[in-house]
mmCIF file of all heavy atoms in Angstrom:
data_model
loop_
_atom_site.group_PDB
_atom_site.id
_atom_site.type_symbol
_atom_site.label_atom_id
_atom_site.label_comp_id
_atom_site.label_asym_id
_atom_site.label_seq_id
_atom_site.Cartn_x
_atom_site.Cartn_y
_atom_site.Cartn_z
ATOM 1 N N LYS S 1 68.290 38.358 131.548
ATOM 2 C CA LYS S 1 68.313 39.519 132.401
ATOM 3 C C LYS S 1 69.634 40.329 132.125
ATOM 4 O O LYS S 1 69.672 41.587 132.249
ATOM 5 C CB LYS S 1 68.233 39.205 133.846
ATOM 6 C CG LYS S 1 66.800 38.721 134.234
ATOM 7 C CD LYS S 1 66.780 38.384 135.734
ATOM 8 C CE LYS S 1 65.351 37.860 136.065
ATOM 9 N NZ LYS S 1 65.345 37.528 137.489
ATOM 10 N N PHE S 2 70.654 39.585 131.792
ATOM 11 C CA PHE S 2 71.991 40.189 131.557
ATOM 12 C C PHE S 2 71.918 41.237 130.502
ATOM 13 O O PHE S 2 72.767 42.172 130.515
ATOM 14 C CB PHE S 2 73.012 39.118 131.223
ATOM 15 C CG PHE S 2 74.326 39.608 130.957
ATOM 16 C CD1 PHE S 2 75.181 40.003 131.998
ATOM 17 C CD2 PHE S 2 74.907 39.749 129.701
ATOM 18 C CE1 PHE S 2 76.440 40.463 131.767
ATOM 19 C CE2 PHE S 2 76.147 40.106 129.431
ATOM 20 C CZ PHE S 2 76.943 40.535 130.465
ATOM 21 N N TYR S 3 71.007 41.095 129.617
ATOM 22 C CA TYR S 3 71.028 41.999 128.388
ATOM 23 C C TYR S 3 69.993 43.108 128.530
ATOM 24 O O TYR S 3 69.867 43.992 127.644
ATOM 25 C CB TYR S 3 70.758 41.258 127.144
ATOM 26 C CG TYR S 3 71.866 40.377 126.785
ATOM 27 C CD1 TYR S 3 71.914 39.082 127.087
ATOM 28 C CD2 TYR S 3 72.990 40.899 126.091
ATOM 29 C CE1 TYR S 3 73.021 38.261 126.750
ATOM 30 C CE2 TYR S 3 74.012 40.167 125.725
ATOM 31 C CZ TYR S 3 74.059 38.862 126.030
ATOM 32 O OH TYR S 3 75.117 38.139 125.739
ATOM 33 N N LYS S 4 69.211 43.211 129.615
ATOM 34 C CA LYS S 4 68.169 44.225 129.691
ATOM 35 C C LYS S 4 68.727 45.598 129.607
ATOM 36 O O LYS S 4 68.100 46.510 129.122
ATOM 37 C CB LYS S 4 67.321 43.932 130.942
ATOM 38 C CG LYS S 4 66.441 42.772 130.911
ATOM 39 C CD LYS S 4 65.615 42.681 132.146
ATOM 40 C CE LYS S 4 64.588 41.515 131.994
ATOM 41 N NZ LYS S 4 63.754 41.432 133.248
ATOM 42 N N GLU S 5 69.943 45.810 130.180
ATOM 43 C CA GLU S 5 70.456 47.096 130.150
ATOM 44 C C GLU S 5 71.142 47.471 128.847
ATOM 45 O O GLU S 5 71.469 48.596 128.546
ATOM 46 C CB GLU S 5 71.512 47.286 131.258
ATOM 47 C CG GLU S 5 70.899 47.133 132.632
ATOM 48 C CD GLU S 5 71.950 47.313 133.810
ATOM 49 O OE1 GLU S 5 73.145 47.424 133.399
ATOM 50 O OE2 GLU S 5 71.584 47.216 134.960
ATOM 51 N N LYS S 6 71.473 46.484 128.038
ATOM 52 C CA LYS S 6 72.139 46.706 126.766
ATOM 53 C C LYS S 6 71.266 46.751 125.601
ATOM 54 O O LYS S 6 71.685 47.224 124.500
ATOM 55 C CB LYS S 6 73.065 45.498 126.557
ATOM 56 C CG LYS S 6 74.151 45.301 127.667
ATOM 57 C CD LYS S 6 75.017 44.205 127.282
ATOM 58 C CE LYS S 6 76.019 43.881 128.322
ATOM 59 N NZ LYS S 6 76.965 42.809 127.917
ATOM 60 N N LEU S 7 70.062 46.302 125.725
ATOM 61 C CA LEU S 7 69.260 46.127 124.551
ATOM 62 C C LEU S 7 68.710 47.364 123.856
ATOM 63 O O LEU S 7 68.132 47.320 122.883
ATOM 64 C CB LEU S 7 68.054 45.193 124.880
ATOM 65 C CG LEU S 7 68.459 43.748 125.260
ATOM 66 C CD1 LEU S 7 67.214 42.892 125.463
ATOM 67 C CD2 LEU S 7 69.307 43.169 124.122
ATOM 68 N N SER S 8 68.897 48.579 124.492
ATOM 69 C CA SER S 8 68.503 49.784 123.966
ATOM 70 C C SER S 8 69.569 50.263 122.900
ATOM 71 O O SER S 8 69.287 51.216 122.106
ATOM 72 C CB SER S 8 68.274 50.908 125.037
ATOM 73 O OG SER S 8 69.464 51.078 125.730
ATOM 74 N N ARG S 9 70.785 49.702 122.957
ATOM 75 C CA ARG S 9 71.853 50.036 122.034
ATOM 76 C C ARG S 9 71.427 49.579 120.646
ATOM 77 O O ARG S 9 70.886 48.533 120.411
ATOM 78 C CB ARG S 9 73.120 49.410 122.495
ATOM 79 C CG ARG S 9 74.324 49.658 121.550
ATOM 80 C CD ARG S 9 75.552 49.115 122.172
ATOM 81 N NE ARG S 9 75.469 47.716 122.278
ATOM 82 C CZ ARG S 9 75.811 46.860 121.324
ATOM 83 N NH1 ARG S 9 76.259 47.266 120.193
ATOM 84 N NH2 ARG S 9 75.812 45.518 121.559
ATOM 85 N N ARG S 10 71.846 50.340 119.640
ATOM 86 C CA ARG S 10 71.662 49.985 118.254
ATOM 87 C C ARG S 10 73.017 49.802 117.616
ATOM 88 O O ARG S 10 73.825 50.633 117.679
ATOM 89 C CB ARG S 10 70.820 51.062 117.473
ATOM 90 C CG ARG S 10 69.356 51.226 118.002
ATOM 91 C CD ARG S 10 68.674 52.293 117.163
ATOM 92 N NE ARG S 10 68.524 51.979 115.806
ATOM 93 C CZ ARG S 10 67.475 51.298 115.412
ATOM 94 N NH1 ARG S 10 66.534 50.959 116.224
ATOM 95 N NH2 ARG S 10 67.352 50.909 114.126
ATOM 96 N N VAL S 11 73.110 48.726 116.955
ATOM 97 C CA VAL S 11 74.282 48.415 116.164
ATOM 98 C C VAL S 11 73.870 48.665 114.664
ATOM 99 O O VAL S 11 72.960 48.121 114.172
ATOM 100 C CB VAL S 11 74.755 46.951 116.333
ATOM 101 C CG1 VAL S 11 75.999 46.660 115.538
ATOM 102 C CG2 VAL S 11 75.013 46.673 117.838
ATOM 103 N N ARG S 12 74.777 49.425 114.020
ATOM 104 C CA ARG S 12 74.501 49.750 112.622
ATOM 105 C C ARG S 12 75.470 49.104 111.699
ATOM 106 O O ARG S 12 76.687 49.208 111.849
ATOM 107 C CB ARG S 12 74.548 51.316 112.410
ATOM 108 C CG ARG S 12 73.383 51.834 113.333
ATOM 109 C CD ARG S 12 72.639 52.952 112.728
ATOM 110 N NE ARG S 12 72.476 53.079 111.389
ATOM 111 C CZ ARG S 12 71.289 52.982 110.808
ATOM 112 N NH1 ARG S 12 70.188 52.631 111.485
ATOM 113 N NH2 ARG S 12 71.141 53.240 109.504
ATOM 114 N N TRP S 13 74.969 48.377 110.804
ATOM 115 C CA TRP S 13 75.696 47.796 109.638
ATOM 116 C C TRP S 13 74.698 47.624 108.541
ATOM 117 O O TRP S 13 73.577 47.669 108.793
ATOM 118 C CB TRP S 13 76.216 46.438 109.984
ATOM 119 C CG TRP S 13 77.539 46.488 110.718
ATOM 120 C CD1 TRP S 13 77.695 46.335 112.009
ATOM 121 C CD2 TRP S 13 78.786 46.738 110.163
ATOM 122 N NE1 TRP S 13 78.920 46.504 112.376
ATOM 123 C CE2 TRP S 13 79.676 46.736 111.251
ATOM 124 C CE3 TRP S 13 79.299 46.916 108.847
ATOM 125 C CZ2 TRP S 13 80.978 46.954 111.071
ATOM 126 C CZ3 TRP S 13 80.639 47.162 108.743
ATOM 127 C CH2 TRP S 13 81.464 47.169 109.873
ATOM 128 N N PRO S 14 74.677 47.445 107.199
ATOM 129 C CA PRO S 14 73.631 47.309 106.252
ATOM 130 C C PRO S 14 73.354 46.093 105.712
ATOM 131 O O PRO S 14 74.019 45.277 105.611
ATOM 132 C CB PRO S 14 73.939 48.113 105.072
ATOM 133 C CG PRO S 14 75.246 47.877 105.134
ATOM 134 C CD PRO S 14 75.695 47.815 106.471
ATOM 135 N N ILE S 15 72.115 46.481 105.110
ATOM 136 C CA ILE S 15 71.757 45.853 103.829
ATOM 137 C C ILE S 15 71.238 46.985 103.026
ATOM 138 O O ILE S 15 70.409 47.342 103.004
ATOM 139 C CB ILE S 15 70.692 44.852 104.207
ATOM 140 C CG1 ILE S 15 71.342 43.627 104.430
ATOM 141 C CG2 ILE S 15 69.653 44.875 103.259
ATOM 142 C CD1 ILE S 15 70.442 42.597 104.907
ATOM 143 N N GLY S 16 71.614 47.433 102.090
ATOM 144 C CA GLY S 16 71.025 48.487 101.339
ATOM 145 C C GLY S 16 69.813 48.018 100.686
ATOM 146 O O GLY S 16 69.674 46.877 100.390
ATOM 147 N N VAL S 17 68.905 48.977 100.416
ATOM 148 C CA VAL S 17 67.716 48.582 99.661
ATOM 149 C C VAL S 17 67.924 49.043 98.209
ATOM 150 O O VAL S 17 67.815 50.235 97.908
ATOM 151 C CB VAL S 17 66.424 49.230 100.325
ATOM 152 C CG1 VAL S 17 65.226 48.822 99.496
ATOM 153 C CG2 VAL S 17 66.350 48.847 101.673
ATOM 154 N N LEU S 18 68.337 48.196 97.316
ATOM 155 C CA LEU S 18 68.553 48.495 95.910
ATOM 156 C C LEU S 18 67.719 47.737 95.024
ATOM 157 O O LEU S 18 67.233 46.648 95.408
ATOM 158 C CB LEU S 18 70.090 48.222 95.608
ATOM 159 C CG LEU S 18 71.049 48.985 96.496
ATOM 160 C CD1 LEU S 18 72.465 48.438 96.197
ATOM 161 C CD2 LEU S 18 71.004 50.406 96.308
ATOM 162 N N CYS S 19 67.530 48.261 93.851
ATOM 163 C CA CYS S 19 66.712 47.611 92.828
ATOM 164 C C CYS S 19 67.486 46.452 92.131
ATOM 165 O O CYS S 19 68.651 46.719 91.921
ATOM 166 C CB CYS S 19 66.249 48.566 91.726
ATOM 167 S SG CYS S 19 65.156 49.762 92.404
ATOM 168 N N PHE S 20 66.885 45.387 92.036
ATOM 169 C CA PHE S 20 67.668 44.295 91.286
ATOM 170 C C PHE S 20 67.425 44.384 89.851
ATOM 171 O O PHE S 20 66.345 44.071 89.327
ATOM 172 C CB PHE S 20 67.078 43.004 91.859
ATOM 173 C CG PHE S 20 67.680 41.771 91.283
ATOM 174 C CD1 PHE S 20 69.020 41.525 91.301
ATOM 175 C CD2 PHE S 20 66.875 40.833 90.640
ATOM 176 C CE1 PHE S 20 69.588 40.459 90.731
ATOM 177 C CE2 PHE S 20 67.461 39.721 90.044
ATOM 178 C CZ PHE S 20 68.782 39.505 90.088
ATOM 179 N N SER S 21 68.408 44.830 89.135
ATOM 180 C CA SER S 21 68.304 45.118 87.725
ATOM 181 C C SER S 21 69.320 44.314 86.910
ATOM 182 O O SER S 21 69.470 44.566 85.701
ATOM 183 C CB SER S 21 68.386 46.580 87.414
ATOM 184 O OG SER S 21 69.677 47.087 87.923
ATOM 185 N N LEU S 22 70.157 43.445 87.535
ATOM 186 C CA LEU S 22 71.162 42.764 86.781
ATOM 187 C C LEU S 22 70.694 41.425 86.245
ATOM 188 O O LEU S 22 69.991 40.729 86.912
ATOM 189 C CB LEU S 22 72.347 42.637 87.692
ATOM 190 C CG LEU S 22 72.966 43.902 88.206
ATOM 191 C CD1 LEU S 22 74.074 43.621 89.197
ATOM 192 C CD2 LEU S 22 73.427 44.819 87.112
ATOM 193 N N VAL S 23 71.170 41.022 85.095
ATOM 194 C CA VAL S 23 70.946 39.714 84.595
ATOM 195 C C VAL S 23 72.321 38.982 84.506
ATOM 196 O O VAL S 23 73.205 39.420 83.881
ATOM 197 C CB VAL S 23 70.339 39.763 83.153
ATOM 198 C CG1 VAL S 23 70.192 38.345 82.616
ATOM 199 C CG2 VAL S 23 69.026 40.528 83.214
ATOM 200 N N TYR S 24 72.409 37.831 85.267
ATOM 201 C CA TYR S 24 73.640 37.108 85.316
ATOM 202 C C TYR S 24 73.896 36.461 84.018
ATOM 203 O O TYR S 24 73.093 36.126 83.275
ATOM 204 C CB TYR S 24 73.663 36.135 86.416
ATOM 205 C CG TYR S 24 75.052 35.798 86.874
ATOM 206 C CD1 TYR S 24 75.705 36.509 87.726
ATOM 207 C CD2 TYR S 24 75.642 34.723 86.218
ATOM 208 C CE1 TYR S 24 77.041 36.252 88.089
ATOM 209 C CE2 TYR S 24 76.955 34.402 86.593
ATOM 210 C CZ TYR S 24 77.638 35.220 87.552
ATOM 211 O OH TYR S 24 78.867 34.862 87.850
ATOM 212 N N GLY S 25 75.129 36.292 83.758
ATOM 213 C CA GLY S 25 75.620 35.791 82.468
ATOM 214 C C GLY S 25 76.281 36.862 81.625
ATOM 215 O O GLY S 25 76.857 36.634 80.644
ATOM 216 N N GLN S 26 76.081 38.097 81.986
ATOM 217 C CA GLN S 26 76.677 39.272 81.322
ATOM 218 C C GLN S 26 77.673 39.934 82.347
ATOM 219 O O GLN S 26 77.566 39.712 83.480
ATOM 220 C CB GLN S 26 75.627 40.323 80.860
ATOM 221 C CG GLN S 26 74.601 39.714 79.891
ATOM 222 C CD GLN S 26 73.562 40.716 79.562
ATOM 223 O OE1 GLN S 26 73.557 41.768 80.064
ATOM 224 N NE2 GLN S 26 72.648 40.352 78.606
ATOM 225 N N VAL S 27 78.534 40.725 81.804
ATOM 226 C CA VAL S 27 79.431 41.440 82.709
ATOM 227 C C VAL S 27 78.574 42.425 83.476
ATOM 228 O O VAL S 27 77.694 43.130 82.896
ATOM 229 C CB VAL S 27 80.466 42.213 81.799
ATOM 230 C CG1 VAL S 27 81.416 42.948 82.732
ATOM 231 C CG2 VAL S 27 81.233 41.262 80.930
ATOM 232 N N TYR S 28 78.852 42.489 84.726
ATOM 233 C CA TYR S 28 78.057 43.363 85.637
ATOM 234 C C TYR S 28 78.453 44.855 85.298
ATOM 235 O O TYR S 28 79.564 45.257 85.202
ATOM 236 C CB TYR S 28 78.523 43.170 87.086
ATOM 237 C CG TYR S 28 77.820 41.971 87.696
ATOM 238 C CD1 TYR S 28 78.473 40.731 87.652
ATOM 239 C CD2 TYR S 28 76.554 42.036 88.267
ATOM 240 C CE1 TYR S 28 77.908 39.570 88.221
ATOM 241 C CE2 TYR S 28 75.998 40.935 88.773
ATOM 242 C CZ TYR S 28 76.647 39.635 88.707
ATOM 243 O OH TYR S 28 76.059 38.589 89.231
ATOM 244 N N ALA S 29 77.315 45.595 85.022
ATOM 245 C CA ALA S 29 77.476 46.978 84.691
ATOM 246 C C ALA S 29 77.727 47.827 85.943
ATOM 247 O O ALA S 29 78.243 48.875 85.874
ATOM 248 C CB ALA S 29 76.168 47.472 83.956
ATOM 249 N N GLN S 30 77.269 47.278 87.147
ATOM 250 C CA GLN S 30 77.449 48.016 88.337
ATOM 251 C C GLN S 30 78.204 46.999 89.362
ATOM 252 O O GLN S 30 78.080 45.813 89.226
ATOM 253 C CB GLN S 30 76.113 48.464 88.917
ATOM 254 C CG GLN S 30 75.355 49.441 88.080
ATOM 255 C CD GLN S 30 74.004 49.743 88.602
ATOM 256 O OE1 GLN S 30 73.572 49.206 89.537
ATOM 257 N NE2 GLN S 30 73.355 50.671 87.972
ATOM 258 N N PRO S 31 78.776 47.566 90.396
ATOM 259 C CA PRO S 31 79.378 46.713 91.384
ATOM 260 C C PRO S 31 78.352 45.835 92.089
ATOM 261 O O PRO S 31 77.197 46.308 92.237
ATOM 262 C CB PRO S 31 80.011 47.757 92.391
ATOM 263 C CG PRO S 31 80.215 48.948 91.575
ATOM 264 C CD PRO S 31 79.107 49.002 90.556
ATOM 265 N N LEU S 32 78.769 44.671 92.428
ATOM 266 C CA LEU S 32 77.854 43.701 93.132
ATOM 267 C C LEU S 32 77.629 44.116 94.572
ATOM 268 O O LEU S 32 78.578 44.025 95.411
ATOM 269 C CB LEU S 32 78.375 42.314 93.074
ATOM 270 C CG LEU S 32 77.530 41.233 93.672
ATOM 271 C CD1 LEU S 32 76.209 41.020 92.903
ATOM 272 C CD2 LEU S 32 78.249 39.907 93.690
ATOM 273 N N THR S 33 76.455 44.600 94.929
ATOM 274 C CA THR S 33 76.144 44.879 96.368
ATOM 275 C C THR S 33 75.682 43.624 97.063
ATOM 276 O O THR S 33 75.439 42.610 96.365
ATOM 277 C CB THR S 33 74.979 45.909 96.331
ATOM 278 O OG1 THR S 33 73.802 45.344 95.735
ATOM 279 C CG2 THR S 33 75.270 47.145 95.568
ATOM 280 N N LEU S 34 75.592 43.683 98.324
ATOM 281 C CA LEU S 34 75.167 42.557 99.053
ATOM 282 C C LEU S 34 73.753 42.209 98.814
ATOM 283 O O LEU S 34 73.323 41.026 98.718
ATOM 284 C CB LEU S 34 75.298 42.855 100.608
ATOM 285 C CG LEU S 34 74.845 41.729 101.568
ATOM 286 C CD1 LEU S 34 75.487 40.403 101.328
ATOM 287 C CD2 LEU S 34 75.035 42.146 103.006
ATOM 288 N N ASP S 35 72.952 43.213 98.612
ATOM 289 C CA ASP S 35 71.519 43.012 98.348
ATOM 290 C C ASP S 35 71.302 42.314 96.984
ATOM 291 O O ASP S 35 70.560 41.316 96.919
ATOM 292 C CB ASP S 35 70.733 44.324 98.342
ATOM 293 C CG ASP S 35 69.206 44.165 98.229
ATOM 294 O OD1 ASP S 35 68.715 43.684 99.153
ATOM 295 O OD2 ASP S 35 68.669 44.580 97.250
ATOM 296 N N THR S 36 72.024 42.698 96.036
ATOM 297 C CA THR S 36 71.968 41.967 94.684
ATOM 298 C C THR S 36 72.569 40.617 94.768
ATOM 299 O O THR S 36 71.948 39.665 94.185
ATOM 300 C CB THR S 36 72.810 42.774 93.628
ATOM 301 O OG1 THR S 36 72.212 44.135 93.578
ATOM 302 C CG2 THR S 36 72.681 42.087 92.356
ATOM 303 N N ALA S 37 73.596 40.344 95.510
ATOM 304 C CA ALA S 37 74.166 39.050 95.687
ATOM 305 C C ALA S 37 73.123 38.116 96.373
ATOM 306 O O ALA S 37 73.037 36.924 96.005
ATOM 307 C CB ALA S 37 75.444 39.063 96.582
ATOM 308 N N LEU S 38 72.373 38.655 97.404
ATOM 309 C CA LEU S 38 71.402 37.812 98.007
ATOM 310 C C LEU S 38 70.314 37.386 97.114
ATOM 311 O O LEU S 38 69.841 36.226 97.086
ATOM 312 C CB LEU S 38 70.788 38.551 99.229
ATOM 313 C CG LEU S 38 71.794 38.866 100.412
ATOM 314 C CD1 LEU S 38 71.134 39.842 101.381
ATOM 315 C CD2 LEU S 38 72.114 37.573 101.108
ATOM 316 N N LYS S 39 69.825 38.245 96.267
ATOM 317 C CA LYS S 39 68.789 37.955 95.246
ATOM 318 C C LYS S 39 69.263 37.048 94.256
ATOM 319 O O LYS S 39 68.489 36.145 93.860
ATOM 320 C CB LYS S 39 68.291 39.292 94.664
ATOM 321 C CG LYS S 39 67.506 40.239 95.607
ATOM 322 C CD LYS S 39 67.111 41.481 95.002
ATOM 323 C CE LYS S 39 66.428 42.457 95.933
ATOM 324 N NZ LYS S 39 66.057 43.786 95.283
ATOM 325 N N LEU S 40 70.441 37.162 93.763
ATOM 326 C CA LEU S 40 71.013 36.212 92.706
ATOM 327 C C LEU S 40 71.135 34.810 93.305
ATOM 328 O O LEU S 40 70.815 33.814 92.656
ATOM 329 C CB LEU S 40 72.389 36.775 92.281
ATOM 330 C CG LEU S 40 72.366 37.879 91.282
ATOM 331 C CD1 LEU S 40 73.774 38.387 91.067
ATOM 332 C CD2 LEU S 40 71.732 37.471 89.980
ATOM 333 N N ALA S 41 71.633 34.756 94.581
ATOM 334 C CA ALA S 41 71.817 33.447 95.208
ATOM 335 C C ALA S 41 70.508 32.745 95.401
ATOM 336 O O ALA S 41 70.401 31.505 95.134
ATOM 337 C CB ALA S 41 72.557 33.621 96.566
ATOM 338 N N GLU S 42 69.477 33.517 95.774
ATOM 339 C CA GLU S 42 68.159 32.872 95.954
ATOM 340 C C GLU S 42 67.534 32.391 94.672
ATOM 341 O O GLU S 42 66.899 31.381 94.575
ATOM 342 C CB GLU S 42 67.189 33.777 96.680
ATOM 343 C CG GLU S 42 67.467 34.061 98.148
ATOM 344 C CD GLU S 42 66.370 34.792 98.816
ATOM 345 O OE1 GLU S 42 65.213 34.629 98.430
ATOM 346 O OE2 GLU S 42 66.629 35.594 99.794
#
């Protein structure tokens, strides 16, 4: 119940939706985004 008044608030932080086009083992042509890091880790 404590949160019923708060739950309409939206907190914004990302995950961007990016195409996974990197092949590990080579120098990254683009900066490592969080989305790419997640895909590589999996």
